[in-house]
Amino acid sequence: MQRRLTRELSTATTRGLLTPAPGPPLPLGRRAQVDLSAITLPDAPPPIPKPVPPDDVVNNMRVTSSMDVPGIALKADDAQSLSGLTCPANTSLDIVNWADNRPFHQQTGDLRRELYQEFDHLNREAALKLAKLYIHYGFGAEARQILLLDDELRHSQKMLLDIASIFETGIAPPDSMLHALMDCETDVALWAMLARQDLGVEHTVDPRPALLSLNKLPIHLRNFLAPALSRRLLAHGDAGAAATALRSLERLPATLPSSAKLAQAEIALDEGHVEKATDGLADVADDNAEHSPEALVALVDTRIAARQPISPETANLVEAYAKELSQTELGPELRRAHVLALARSGQFDNAFAGSKKLDVEDATKLQMRLFEELTASAEDVVFLEYVLERSPQDFTKLPKFQKVALAARLFDLGFAEQAQTILSDIADQPRSDTRQLLAARIALDLSQPMRAQAELIEIAGEEADLLRAKAKQMAGAHAEAHDLYRLANNDEAAVLAAWLADDSERFALSDNTIFGPVLALSDAAVAVPPEVDGMLARGEAALTESSAARQTLLDLLQAPELNVDLTDVTQ
């Protein structure tokens, strides 16, 4: 019902029966009262009859009068697209019956003998049959050559010319009428989808008519067209329809062509099956077929995105294709993939050298990718070699996330100053939690507590609170550090900060902590018991107290929380 309503409204709009309202209606009380009796209506003109098109000519336009109000269901042959064009009937695209069971050379030979009549006049009927025969076998260039022999064929068979262009170049010309017929429910929907480089995202596409038309075609045409249709549907976001298009080939006993295997791998990648996708791409790359270079590029990109290794043999294969196809449209993609394959296989010297041979803009973008790969997968020695030998200005063009990752790895390897230099090139506004937290950790490592606190302004969270507490403690504000540690539920650090505070009693240290006995010892009053009389007795009591205090301090130093090395400590 929705499709029918849309079709009827579109038809009415095309015929001028619907016009937009000029604005909101006036209130009933302010409407002018019109005397309808004073209006004389003219006689309605007779309807203009619909012209009958000649045989074998595609009827793409309908001329009707304004009285032709759509109110009845259209016939199958008169179905219209949303653009108002008439959808060609299935009988006009009966490609499977455009050839017979005789050998190809015999069919073409018979039609070529009939191509010219006496006085070298072109036999249009034979020319049209020959063009259809070529289309049946997928020879687009030959079909176009035949149709362009005569002006009348060129103008009357535009749809066949567009289909021939699809076989020859993969798409139809920009002015092709096929672009406006994608919503038809006849067999032309298949060719309308194949006519476009992509289906676009501005409207929903119903793939069912195209899939039904695909299954009607001969096997040799399905082998060629099914992968192309599948990839267009996948790019449009319909992975289910893309898989259905390939299923028409999977049921056949013959081995799938490389284009179908490539489409299968792309569907698997879209569905998140990375291992299945890489295995399929590797099979296509090893086939040494027409689509092997394209599959090799996709294989490199997929393995890099999945953080999978790339063998040096694969990098060498990409290099061979890049040299062989350097002057083709795929040449730049192969050169880019070769550089990335070198980096993933650990050959960073060759990768950086290869990136410099590209165009300036491409080389700059590719070197950014190389630094990303270097940060993510290079060994520590190789990473430091390439990073430390460059000045900070060499990293200014890197994206923000790459600078943060680069600084993080430098900091983890112990190069806090270099990491801080790279981070200082990133603006702190707008605030980024990842950048600010890393900058605070680096500042603390460099004994810069005030800078660390400045980096943590407006940054919330448990990690930020812990870093603030460390900065406060490093700056000597042990009481504030204690409060922050308690908020972060870090009791051990809170106890240590309380012990280092000047007025530790206000924190009410528990006897269960390692500092409890020491605090109790420091608070104990030193007094000589009255019952102890004599110098020897008082000395013995003092030695006892000293031994207890020494043992208390030794227990404190041996506490695992302090992590103190007692190798050189003597009693």
Side-chain angles (χ1 to χ4, degrees):
M1 179 61 69
Q2 182 182 11
R3 290 197 301 269
R4 180 178 177 182
L5 180 60
T6 303
R7 182 181 62 197
E8 299 296 343
L9 288 175
S10 176
T11 303
T13 304
T14 303
R15 296 170 179 173
L17 299 178
L18 293 179
T19 55
L26 295 174
L28 292 176
R30 297 184 181 180
R31 287 186 178 178
Q33 300 298 323
V34 180
D35 187 6
L36 298 179
S37 62
I39 299 178
T40 303
L41 297 177
D43 296 334
I48 301 176
K50 177 181 176 181
V52 180
D55 295 337
D56 296 330
V57 176
V58 178
N59 179 22
N60 294 319
M61 297 184 65
R62 297 182 64 198
V63 180
T64 58
S65 70
S66 60
M67 299 299 293
D68 185 14
V69 181
I72 59 174
L74 295 175
K75 298 179 181 179
D77 291 346
D78 292 336
Q80 287 187 334
S81 66
L82 293 180
S83 62
L85 296 179
T86 300
C87 296
N90 292 340
T91 54
S92 63
L93 289 173
D94 191 14
I95 297 179
V96 70
N97 292 322
W98 286 355
D100 52 40
N101 296 328
R102 293 178 298 163
F104 173 74
H105 68 275
Q106 184 176 349
Q107 296 182 66
T108 55
D110 292 345
L111 290 174
R112 281 191 171 278
R113 281 193 296 270
E114 301 175 7
L115 197 58
Y116 286 96
Q117 301 172 342
E118 56 181 346
F119 306 112
D120 291 335
H121 287 170
L122 181 68
N123 184 349
R124 293 192 182 95
E125 182 180 356
L128 182 58
K129 289 182 180 180
L130 183 58
K132 290 182 175 180
L133 178 66
Y134 281 134
I135 290 177
H136 173 87
Y137 285 102
F139 296 115
E142 291 76 4
R144 285 183 57 84
Q145 183 181 18
I146 296 299
L147 293 173
L148 294 177
L149 291 176
D150 183 73
D151 290 339
E152 182 176 338
L153 287 177
R154 181 188 298 112
H155 293 295
S156 62
Q157 302 298 330
K158 289 184 178 180
M159 187 170 64
L160 292 185
L161 282 169
D162 295 338
I163 293 176
S165 297
I166 293 174
F167 282 113
E168 182 180 3
T169 64
I171 57 174
D175 59 346
S176 171
M177 66 173 184
L178 291 175
H179 297 296
L181 300 176
M182 196 162 56
D183 58 321
C184 288
E185 297 184 358
T186 58
D187 289 345
V188 74
L190 169 64
W191 305 102
M193 291 185 181
L194 296 174
R196 294 168 171 250
Q197 190 70 41
D198 57 77
L199 302 185
V201 295
E202 69 278 2
H203 56 272
T204 304
V205 178
D206 184 7
R208 289 174 296 180
L211 295 174
L212 290 174
S213 176
L214 179 67
N215 282 283
K216 297 178 184 178
L217 295 177
I219 295 177
H220 60 273
L221 290 185
R222 269 188 277 167
N223 285 331
F224 178 73
L225 298 177
L229 178 62
S230 175
R231 300 181 74 178
R232 281 167 172 78
L233 291 171
L234 180 63
H236 187 66
D238 195 343
T244 303
L246 293 180
R247 230 170 267 131
S248 63
L249 301 181
E250 295 170 354
R251 293 191 296 264
L252 301 176
T255 305
L256 287 177
S258 60
S259 56
K261 294 180 181 179
L262 180 59
Q264 280 183 333
E266 292 176 349
I267 293 174
L269 187 62
D270 182 77
E271 294 176 346
H273 306 305
V274 179
E275 292 294 337
K276 181 179 178 180
T278 52
D279 291 343
L281 291 172
D283 290 341
V284 179
D286 294 339
D287 285 346
N288 194 22
E290 177 185 359
H291 295 276
S292 294
E294 186 179 358
L296 204 53
V297 172
L299 178 63
V300 171
D301 291 337
T302 302
R303 284 185 171 170
I304 288 179
R307 299 297 180 191
Q308 294 179 352
I310 295 179
S311 64
E313 291 77 14
T314 301
N316 294 337
L317 183 59
V318 179
E319 181 182 14
Y321 276 120
K323 291 181 179 179
E324 179 182 354
L325 305 175
S326 59
Q327 302 302 320
T328 64
E329 184 178 353
L330 197 58
E333 283 295 307
L334 284 167
R335 289 190 290 270
R336 177 192 63 82
H338 176 230
V339 172
L340 293 177
L342 287 172
R344 179 47 62 94
S345 61
Q347 306 176 63
F348 285 98
D349 290 336
N350 295 333
F352 278 99
S355 65
K356 297 178 181 178
K357 298 179 182 179
L358 304 179
D359 297 335
V360 177
E361 183 178 359
D362 294 337
T364 302
K365 294 180 180 179
L366 198 55
Q367 286 186 359
M368 293 181 184
R369 291 286 306 275
L370 290 180
F371 276 113
E372 181 181 0
E373 185 64 28
L374 185 74
T375 304
S377 62
E379 296 181 357
D380 293 342
V381 175
V382 178
F383 170 77
L384 293 175
E385 177 184 356
Y386 276 95
V387 174
L388 297 181
E389 71 179 4
R390 286 168 168 77
S391 63
Q393 289 75 19
D394 294 336
F395 306 112
T396 55
K397 294 183 179 180
L398 290 178
K400 180 179 178 179
F401 76 93
Q402 287 192 22
K403 291 180 182 178
V404 173
L406 189 65
R409 185 165 185 186
L410 280 172
F411 176 63
D412 292 339
L413 293 175
F415 293 86
E417 293 183 2
Q418 290 81 355
Q420 191 175 69
T421 302
I422 293 176
L423 277 187
S424 62
D425 191 48
I426 304 176
D428 56 359
Q429 294 294 337
R431 310 289 277 182
S432 168
D433 289 0
T434 304
R435 188 262 180 207
Q436 301 306 126
L437 291 174
L438 178 60
R441 288 198 297 269
I442 294 175
L444 291 176
D445 189 77
L446 296 175
S447 300
Q448 300 171 351
M450 304 308 296
R451 181 168 183 171
Q453 295 181 58
E455 298 286 2
L456 294 172
I457 295 176
E458 300 179 3
I459 304 300
E462 183 176 348
E463 184 178 0
D465 291 339
L466 288 174
L467 292 175
R468 285 193 189 91
K470 291 180 181 179
K472 293 287 186 182
Q473 187 170 339
M474 185 177 294
H478 301 295
E480 298 179 30
H482 169 268
D483 294 337
L484 292 173
Y485 279 130
R486 291 293 298 273
L487 289 176
N489 297 320
N490 192 335
D491 295 334
E492 294 181 0
V495 170
L496 179 60
W499 174 255
L500 296 175
D502 294 337
D503 189 9
S504 61
E505 292 184 359
R506 60 183 286 244
F507 303 115
L509 292 175
S510 172
D511 292 339
N512 295 328
T513 66
I514 61 174
F515 298 105
V518 180
L519 182 61
L521 180 66
S522 63
D523 292 341
V526 180
V528 179
E531 63 274 8
V532 178
D533 190 13
M535 182 180 299
L536 184 60
R538 288 195 296 272
E540 184 179 357
L543 288 175
T544 302
E545 293 178 359
S546 176
S547 177
R550 187 185 306 111
Q551 186 61 43
T552 300
L553 293 176
L554 184 61
D555 293 341
L556 175 65
L557 294 176
Q558 291 178 339
E561 293 85 352
L562 295 183
N563 193 22
V564 176
D565 187 5
L566 299 179
T567 305
D568 299 331
V569 177
T570 58
Q571 296 185 4

